[in-house]
Amino acid sequence: MNGTDTAETGQGGAGRRETGAGTRRARVRRAIRAASRPGPWQRGPLLASLALLLGLLMLLHAKIPNRGLGNLGSLVESFLPWFGLFVPLLLAGALWRRSAAAVVALLLPVVVWLNLFGGLLGDKSHPGGDLTLAEQNVNADNPDPAGTARDLAASGAQALALVELTPHATPLYEKGLAKAYPYHTVQGTVGLWSKLPLSDTRPIDIMDYGPLAATKPADKKLAANRALRTTVATDHGPLTVYVAHLGSVRVNPRAGFWTASRNIGVRALGKAVAADPSERVVLLGDLNGTTDDRALAGLTARMHSAQDAAGDGFGFSWPAGFPVVRTDQILVRGVRPEKAWVLPATRSDHLPVAAAISW
């Protein structure tokens, strides 16, 4: 009996020693894992890198080249406000990874985005205004021109610019707007309806700009004309108004962001506005580009956006169902925007835009 007890006791001691050694080994392994586990400043290096790249992209967007890259710079600038959506996505990833480095890195894109667009988040409008203007690309395939005319007449604007008119739809707009707007001019595919007298109206060639422009017959030019200049007689003096529909832009695999036709129009229209001696000038139209796009500098360097100066928010106008960009612009020179806003949808694929201005 004593021998057996002694043997059992010896085995129990060995078991305890093994258990103790196993516990020590487990503790060592846990200590090694804890020491090798990255801290909050070492976690999420990919997220931190992406956050820094996002901030640099927005900060240095003007340095992104257009040539050789399918106008990549203009494409990025057209949708630049939407890059801010990556911030909450990266923040969610940083919090999930508990990465302090990624959270801190996100300060760069946040600060850059707020510097670029923070001023658009508030309402900068003021009461009053001497004249209200509105513009819409009414869409060549609009299924209800008469209804669109009624909706736009109800806006109360003293001057209304329409672009993308067609020979079929123009008489319907003329009929629907005749009562509210006794004065109007149509030059090809663009027109201006006004409650005040118009004078000195002429087309502006923005599609056949260059040495070959003079070789095209005048009647063919006018039929497809996409810009005009006229003078509105107001109680405060003459106001020069340009209405324009710049050439379309396209995104395709071969050409990238194709803007050749639009850019030709920018140069022609910019030259006309620069040479215009008028003290007060307004440009209404679908410019097929945003004011952030460097390609529109020929216009935005000489005029400023009513939406940027006196709007509430970004004022996106296209596509009407879910607007993501503002291609419909009201640019001014020599007058003060008091308010700028987007009007309710009509049957067009663009939303109408409006602005109130003062002298």
Side-chain angles (χ1 to χ4, degrees):
M1 291 292 293
N2 292 337
T4 303
D5 289 343
T6 302
E8 289 178 350
T9 301
Q11 291 174 355
R16 284 192 296 272
R17 285 194 296 271
E18 290 177 359
T19 301
T23 300
R24 285 193 297 272
R25 286 195 295 270
R27 289 174 178 172
V28 170
R29 285 195 296 267
R30 286 196 294 269
I32 293 173
R33 284 198 297 269
S36 62
R37 183 182 302 130
W41 292 101
Q42 296 173 308
R43 297 174 196 155
L46 178 60
L47 290 170
S49 298
L50 290 175
L52 292 174
L53 286 174
L54 176 61
L56 290 173
L57 176 68
M58 292 190 291
L59 179 65
L60 304 174
H61 65 87
K63 303 296 184 181
I64 301 174
N66 265 341
R67 292 186 178 182
L69 292 175
N71 293 309
L72 181 60
S74 285
L75 181 60
V76 167
E77 289 167 340
S78 296
F79 296 95
L80 197 57
W82 292 96
F83 281 80
L85 291 179
F86 290 108
V87 171
L89 295 177
L90 290 172
L91 178 60
L95 295 177
W96 179 70
R97 291 282 294 151
R98 297 181 181 179
S99 171
V103 171
V104 172
L106 277 169
L107 290 176
L108 177 62
V110 169
V111 170
V112 173
W113 192 93
L114 289 174
N115 183 63
L116 291 172
F117 304 111
L120 296 176
L121 298 180
D123 185 356
K124 299 181 292 300
S125 62
H126 305 91
D130 298 319
L131 189 71
T132 299
L133 309 124
E135 180 275 338
Q136 185 175 31
N137 179 328
V138 291
N139 187 6
D141 297 320
N142 190 319
D144 186 17
T148 297
R150 288 193 300 270
D151 292 341
L152 293 174
S155 70
Q158 280 83 32
L160 173 63
L162 304 184
V163 307
E164 208 166 294
L165 297 169
T166 65
H168 167 73
T170 297
L172 298 176
Y173 289 113
E174 290 175 329
K175 181 179 179 181
L177 296 171
K179 184 176 181 180
Y181 298 95
Y183 309 96
H184 86 282
T185 178
V186 173
Q187 302 288 322
T189 65
V190 297
L192 183 71
W193 277 258
S194 175
K195 296 183 178 183
L196 303 169
L198 304 176
S199 63
D200 192 24
T201 301
R202 62 178 183 270
I204 303 291
D205 189 354
I206 61 171
M207 298 302 292
D208 297 293
Y209 177 68
L212 298 178
T215 64
K216 191 171 183 178
D219 56 339
K220 291 186 178 181
K221 277 188 179 184
L222 184 59
N225 182 68
R226 294 169 69 116
L228 66 83
R229 178 199 183 277
T230 191
T231 300
V232 179
T234 78
D235 294 339
H236 303 274
L239 176 69
T240 297
V241 175
Y242 287 84
V243 179
H245 182 198
L246 296 184
S248 298
V249 297
R250 296 285 186 270
V251 178
N252 61 68
R254 300 186 65 182
F257 188 43
W258 183 83
T259 63
S261 177
R262 189 222 30 207
N263 294 349
I264 289 173
V266 171
R267 290 194 293 272
L269 193 58
K271 183 178 179 180
V273 170
D276 198 310
S278 304
E279 182 181 353
R280 294 176 288 272
V281 180
V282 174
L283 168 60
L284 307 161
D286 176 6
L287 304 187
N288 270 308
T290 70
T291 53
D292 295 312
D293 188 344
R294 71 192 69 175
L296 269 64
L299 293 170
T300 55
R302 299 181 175 95
M303 310 181 78
H304 60 277
S305 165
Q307 179 68 27
D308 290 350
D312 181 7
F314 290 91
F316 295 145
S317 65
W318 181 88
F322 186 80
V324 296
V325 293
R326 183 184 178 91
T327 65
D328 296 272
Q329 308 289 352
I330 300 178
L331 305 181
V332 302
R333 184 183 80 192
V335 295
R336 183 175 66 255
E338 300 290 359
K339 183 180 179 181
W341 66 102
V342 177
L343 292 167
T346 67
R347 297 298 297 275
S348 172
D349 58 342
H350 288 245
L351 295 175
V353 298
I357 60 173
S358 293
W359 269 246

